[in-house]
């Protein structure tokens, strides 16, 4: 009897190991044709096209944040153009660092909206100064707060993120990722609605190109006689149409926006397609200098809201890392990957303080949605996008021309990208038990809390609170972020009827742990590149201390070889 039990248990173990070998990553089983993961080899011309799409998507946020901040701080067109070029440069460097040494996921590092309120708060005490001086003094105060907050950012990655990663389960991941996408709703349709005659046709055209046109082309080639037979002469296959939907969109939408700008621009300023002084203010060939606004100043009233913004951006980046791993066809990132990613995000915030971008950085939510739209989780495409950022930050005139893209067009594109982030978070329900009342409550309450508190904060408190005091700005920042819902989800998963093994299974921890513990998969997705590490060691062991302009030259010369090796 005992021998029979031993044989049965051994068979169960062998069957479990065999099943574990067969299903190495459950996310791969749900993807469609033409999908590519973060480690798949993609040809260079496809990678360049995908990288340019990533650049176009992040350019909307890069131009929008300075457009909000610079007039409030007292700057003009020249300061706005300088800030856009500086943000592009630091975004490109931070993206390369994140893809080489950080999370190793296909994420783009861009400006975070969470830093807008702290930046405005830092400028309040200079409101009596002359506009240009107010801008300079405000930027120095923001630089000092960013430099100190970046140290806290690194400490958050070292000490808090490993614990936060261990507390995450598939059940708590769903509200975290969903709130990261839903929290951006104010930059989607409200931005589109500022000029509906441009935004709505853009949204309809993008939806048709990305979702309807590939099906019609495929059907026209399968059936010889149908009403869509003329589409068979398109040289692009259906997968390529969806993959390059944004590139197909721009030639149609941009001329249409120019026509609408001529017709409605004199009555609706948001419909105008113009350079807004960016072209005249942008430099022809220029590399931002360190501390370009002067010596940073430090005030505890500026640091506290900035530290809260850093914590919120770390939570936003965690949600973006999780959904990027989903669309990059990788296993869910273990705690040490989240720690590494937040640490290098903190280094990006440090670079933001050093160069004077005026804001901190986070993993771009809209670019994570682009991974789902294109079904291409290529890490090489993201690195090429970083090269575009660095190149266009130097060629300021061309960057100013591309930044003239109408903001309603950006809002229309975001209306299609943010839902991919939300649905990517919902896809983690496959690991949970959706028939459990406990699971339904823990899913529903944090999402509802995160939405209605943020909505109330945006509608009722933004005008009366921002700029009044550093404490009220901090409260406003917390209430308008997804951090509140994420904290509620984790706390409820711990305290609500916890202790039973069945409930532990309902949250998906047991199922998810199988794929988090596969060492070879984790190594293949998140291991550090040996060639880049060896090159960094060789550079650090050189005895000669180089000057800043020499280091700058080395960076721009060695970036293409490093891009190819990685």
């Amino acid at each position: 009897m005992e021998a029979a039990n031993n044989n049965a248990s051994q068979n169960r173990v062998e069957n479990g190991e065999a099943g574990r070998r067969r299903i190495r990553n459950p996310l791969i089983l749900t993807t469609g044709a033409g999908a590519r993961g973060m480690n798949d080899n993609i040809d260079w011309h496809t990678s360049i096209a995908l990288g340019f799409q990533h650049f176009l998507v992040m350019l909307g946020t890069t131009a929008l944040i300075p457009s909000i901040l610079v007039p409030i701080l007292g700057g003009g067109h020249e300061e706005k153009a300088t800030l856009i070029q500086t943000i592009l440069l630091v975004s490109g460097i931070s993206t390369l660092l994140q893809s080489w040494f950080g999370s190793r996921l296909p994420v783009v590092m861009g400006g975070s909206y969470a830093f807008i309120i702290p930046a405005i708060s830092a400028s309040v005490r200079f409101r009596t100064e002359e506009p240009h001086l107010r801008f300079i003094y405000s930027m120095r105060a923001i630089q000092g707060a960013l430099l100190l907050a970046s140290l806290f950012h690194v400490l958050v990655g070292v000490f808090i993120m490993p614990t936060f990663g261990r507390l995450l389960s598939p059940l708590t991941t769903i509200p975290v990722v969903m709130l990261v996408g839903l929290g951006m709703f104010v930059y989607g349709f409200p931005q589109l609605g500022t000029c509906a005659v441009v935004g709505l046709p853009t949204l309809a055209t993008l939806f048709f190109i990305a979702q309807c046109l590939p099906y019609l082309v495929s059907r026209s080639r399968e059936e010889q006689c149908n009403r869509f037979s003329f589409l068979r002469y398109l040289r692009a296959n259906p997968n390529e149409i969806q993959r390059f939907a944004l590139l197909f969109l721009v030639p149609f939408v941009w001329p249409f926006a120019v026509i609408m700008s001529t017709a409605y621009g004199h009555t609706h300023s948001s419909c105008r397609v113009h350079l807004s002084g960016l072209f005249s203010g942008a430099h022809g060939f220029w590399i931002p200098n360190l501390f370009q606004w002067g010596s940073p100043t430090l005030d505890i009233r500026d640091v506290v809201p900035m530290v809260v913004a850093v914590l919120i951006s770390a939570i936003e980046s965690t949600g973006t890392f999780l959904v990027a791993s989903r669309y990059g066809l990788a296993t869910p990132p273990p705690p040490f990957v989240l720690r590494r990613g937040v640490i290098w995000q903190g280094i990006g915030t440090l670079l933001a303080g050093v160069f004077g971008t005026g804001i901190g950085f986070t993993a771009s939510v809209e670019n994570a949605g682009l991974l789902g739209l294109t079904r291409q989780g290529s890490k090489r495409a993201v690195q090429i996008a970083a090269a575009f950022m660095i190149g266009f930050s130097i060629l300021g005139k061309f960057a100013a021309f591309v930044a003239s893209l109408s903001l309603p067009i950006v809002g229309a594109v975001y209306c299609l990208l943010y839902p991919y982030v939300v649905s990517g978070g919902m896809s983690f329900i496959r690991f949970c038990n959706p028939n459990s009342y406990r699971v339904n409550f823990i899913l529903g309450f944090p999402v509802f809390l995160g939405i209605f508190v943020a909505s109330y904060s945006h509608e009722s408190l933004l005008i009366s609170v921002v700029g009044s005091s550093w404490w009220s700005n901090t409260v406003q920042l917390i209430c308008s972020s997804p951090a509140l819902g994420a904290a509620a989800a984790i706390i409820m998963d711990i305290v609500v009827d916890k202790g039973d093994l069945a409930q532990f299974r309902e949250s998906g921890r047991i199922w998810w742990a199988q794929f988090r513990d596969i060492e070879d998969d984790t190594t293949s997705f998140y291991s550090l590149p040996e060639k880049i590490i060896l090159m960094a060691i060789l550079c650090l062991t050189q005895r000669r201390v180089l000057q800043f302009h020499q280091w700058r030259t080395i960076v721009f010369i060695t970036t293409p070889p490093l891009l190819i090796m990685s």
Side-chain angles (χ1 to χ4, degrees):
M1 187 67 178
E2 183 177 356
N5 291 335
N6 292 335
N7 291 332
S9 61
Q10 183 177 0
N11 290 334
R12 284 195 299 270
V13 171
E14 292 177 355
N15 292 334
E17 292 180 353
R20 186 172 172 180
R21 287 193 296 268
R22 284 196 303 269
I23 308 176
R24 302 198 62 81
N25 189 348
L27 302 180
I28 298 179
L29 302 180
T30 61
T31 58
R36 295 292 183 269
M38 54 186 287
N39 288 339
D40 292 340
N41 291 325
I42 301 178
D43 53 88
W44 278 100
H45 68 273
T46 302
S47 299
I48 293 173
L50 292 173
F52 190 71
Q53 287 189 129
H54 278 285
F55 170 73
L56 289 178
V57 168
M58 68 85 55
L59 195 60
T61 302
T62 303
L64 181 59
I65 294 179
S67 299
I68 297 173
L69 276 182
V70 172
I72 298 176
L73 300 184
H77 294 315
E78 183 177 355
E79 287 80 7
K80 185 191 297 185
T82 301
L83 214 57
I84 289 176
Q85 289 183 256
T86 308
I87 293 175
L88 282 175
L89 176 63
V90 180
S91 295
I93 296 175
S94 299
T95 301
L96 290 177
L97 293 176
Q98 190 68 235
S99 64
W100 287 339
F101 308 112
S103 63
R104 300 278 295 161
L105 286 165
V107 294
V108 173
M109 304 303 292
S112 174
Y113 295 101
F115 291 88
I116 293 179
I117 294 178
I120 297 175
S121 176
S123 66
V124 170
R125 64 178 185 272
F126 306 114
R127 59 179 176 268
T128 59
E129 300 288 342
E130 184 266 333
H132 180 70
L133 292 178
R134 184 170 77 248
F135 179 82
I136 297 296
Y137 293 157
S138 299
M139 290 302 300
R140 291 177 181 177
I142 295 171
Q143 276 187 279
L146 279 174
L147 290 174
L148 191 58
S150 65
L151 301 179
F152 178 78
H153 205 155
V154 174
L155 294 178
V156 167
V158 173
F159 297 106
I160 297 180
M161 290 312 298
T163 303
F164 183 77
R166 285 191 291 269
L167 292 176
L168 279 177
S169 65
L171 181 58
T172 56
T173 296
I174 299 172
V176 171
V177 178
M178 287 182 63
L179 288 174
V180 167
L182 292 173
M184 299 293 178
F185 72 95
V186 294
Y187 308 107
F189 198 85
Q191 189 69 41
L192 178 152
T194 58
C195 184
V197 295
V198 174
L200 288 178
T202 300
L203 179 60
T205 305
L206 180 59
F207 177 80
F208 175 77
I209 294 175
Q211 304 299 329
C212 302
L213 187 58
Y215 167 74
L216 297 178
V217 172
S218 177
R219 184 178 175 183
S220 67
R221 295 177 180 178
E222 292 174 358
E223 303 178 10
Q224 294 297 326
C225 297
N226 58 48
R227 68 185 68 178
F228 306 112
S229 58
F230 65 93
L231 293 176
R232 71 167 64 102
Y233 298 105
L234 289 176
R235 300 181 66 88
N237 61 55
N239 292 330
E240 289 179 345
I241 294 174
Q242 185 173 15
R243 191 179 304 159
F244 306 123
L246 285 182
L247 296 183
F248 286 113
L249 175 72
V250 171
F252 294 100
V253 172
W254 208 326
F256 175 75
V258 173
I259 297 174
M260 291 297 102
S261 175
T262 305
Y264 295 94
H266 61 283
T267 57
H268 298 78
S269 60
S270 56
C271 294
R272 297 174 186 169
V273 178
H274 54 77
L275 298 179
S276 299
L278 291 177
F279 195 81
S280 60
H283 302 275
F285 185 86
W286 176 75
I287 299 177
N289 297 319
L290 302 180
F291 303 107
Q292 57 182 323
W293 311 112
S295 300
T297 59
L298 194 60
D299 194 313
I300 190 63
R301 294 171 294 181
D302 304 333
V303 174
V304 174
M306 200 68 72
V307 166
V308 175
V310 158
L311 186 60
I312 291 172
S313 67
I315 296 176
E316 290 178 352
S317 294
T318 301
T320 307
F321 291 157
L322 291 167
V323 74
S325 68
R326 164 69 177 91
Y327 290 131
L329 308 184
T331 56
F336 76 89
V337 174
L338 298 179
R339 176 186 61 189
R340 207 168 61 196
V342 173
I343 289 174
W344 283 98
Q345 182 188 353
I347 295 176
T349 304
L350 177 64
L351 292 176
V354 171
F355 281 95
T357 60
I359 54 170
F361 288 85
T362 186
S364 175
V365 181
E366 50 272 12
N367 286 92
L370 184 62
L371 298 177
L373 176 66
T374 60
R375 294 184 295 178
Q376 302 293 310
S378 171
K379 190 161 42 180
R380 178 187 293 175
V382 170
Q383 293 169 345
I384 292 176
F388 277 120
M389 299 175 209
I390 296 175
F392 288 150
S393 69
I394 300 173
L395 304 175
K397 296 294 184 181
F398 191 75
F401 175 75
V402 178
S404 66
L405 190 66
S406 179
L407 292 182
I409 296 178
V410 176
V413 173
Y414 287 174
C415 283
L416 205 63
L417 296 183
Y418 290 145
Y420 274 101
V421 178
V422 177
S423 60
M426 294 173 62
S427 67
F428 286 98
I429 193 68
R430 64 181 295 117
F431 299 101
C432 307
N433 180 15
N435 298 320
S436 169
Y437 286 103
R438 175 181 180 270
V439 170
N440 293 333
F441 176 71
I442 295 177
L443 286 181
F445 183 76
V447 173
F448 181 73
L449 182 68
I451 291 177
F452 83 76
V453 172
S455 178
Y456 174 77
S457 177
H458 281 292
E459 294 178 1
S460 304
L461 299 178
L462 184 61
I463 298 177
S464 60
V465 172
V466 171
S468 57
S469 68
W470 66 270
W471 171 249
S472 58
N473 290 329
T474 303
V475 174
Q476 162 74 10
L477 189 58
I478 295 174
C479 293
S480 61
S481 71
L484 198 61
I490 292 177
I491 293 174
M492 291 170 60
D493 188 32
I494 295 175
V495 302
V496 176
D497 298 332
K498 193 67 183 291
D500 191 1
L501 182 61
Q503 296 169 356
F504 187 76
R505 189 184 301 273
E506 286 177 353
S507 64
R509 292 181 181 271
I510 294 179
W511 174 252
W512 200 358
Q514 300 180 57
F515 303 99
R516 273 193 162 189
D517 296 338
I518 297 178
E519 296 181 358
D520 54 347
D521 275 0
T522 303
T523 301
S524 64
F525 288 127
Y526 303 114
S527 60
L528 294 174
E530 297 179 357
K531 294 180 180 179
I532 296 180
I533 293 177
L534 290 176
M535 181 171 290
I537 293 175
L538 291 176
C539 291
L540 291 175
T541 54
Q542 295 296 324
R543 295 183 177 180
R544 182 182 177 186
V545 180
L546 301 178
Q547 300 295 327
F548 169 72
H549 68 278
Q550 294 173 318
W551 277 114
R552 188 169 58 184
T553 304
I554 290 176
V555 167
F556 286 107
I557 292 177
T558 58
T559 294
L562 291 176
L563 191 63
I564 295 173
M565 289 193 301
S566 61

